[in-house]
Amino acid sequence: MTTKIKSFKHFTEEDRYTIYHMRFTEERSLSEIGKFLGKSKSAVSTEINRNSFKGKYIPMIAEKKYKTRLHKGGFCKIESNQEIFDYIVNRLKKR
C-alpha cells in the first residue's frame, strides 16, 4: 500500500502535536511520521529543526514561530528602491 505525499501544504497545529507525540513519546522515525501525515520525511525534519526552541520541539511554540513568520512584513524591493519602482510604473503606463 502506498501513501500519497501531499505537496506544498503547511503543517497544521494538529500536525505539530502529532509530530511531537510520534517522535518524542512513541519514538517513531521521521519516515513513519511523514507517511502518517502524508508528508515527506525531509518536510518533517525541516519542521522540527526550524521550529525548535533551545533544542526542543514544543508544538505550541512551533505554531507560534510559524505564525510569526507567516505574518511578518518582509522586505520589499519595490518600496525601497525608487529606480525599480519608477521602472515598473513606466512599463505599466506603456500598456
Side-chain angles (χ1 to χ4, degrees):
M1 181 166 95
T2 59
T3 303
K4 185 177 178 183
I5 302 292
K6 297 179 193 174
S7 61
F8 306 109
K9 299 288 182 187
H10 295 265
F11 285 98
T12 64
E13 187 173 5
E14 183 179 336
D15 291 340
R16 291 183 172 89
Y17 279 95
T18 301
I19 290 170
Y20 177 82
H21 180 75
M22 290 182 77
R23 184 69 174 165
F24 304 106
T25 303
E26 297 179 3
E27 298 180 353
R28 299 283 187 96
S29 70
L30 297 176
S31 295
E32 290 176 307
I33 298 167
K35 284 180 184 175
F36 183 81
L37 295 174
K39 308 274 188 176
S40 69
K41 68 179 180 180
S42 65
V44 175
S45 176
T46 300
E47 167 64 21
I48 292 170
N49 292 328
R50 180 180 229 195
N51 291 318
S52 289
F53 178 72
K54 295 186 178 182
K56 297 186 180 194
Y57 184 81
I58 302 166
M60 188 172 24
I61 292 174
E63 181 73 9
K64 186 175 180 180
K65 287 177 78 172
Y66 161 72
K67 286 184 178 179
T68 299
R69 274 194 312 278
L70 185 65
H71 298 295
K72 184 177 182 181
F75 176 73
C76 183
K77 286 184 179 181
I78 296 170
E79 293 174 351
S80 64
N81 187 321
Q82 190 63 43
E83 187 177 338
I84 293 173
F85 180 80
D86 292 342
Y87 174 80
I88 292 171
V89 169
N90 287 332
R91 293 293 292 187
L92 288 171
K93 284 180 181 178
K94 290 180 181 180
R95 286 184 159 198

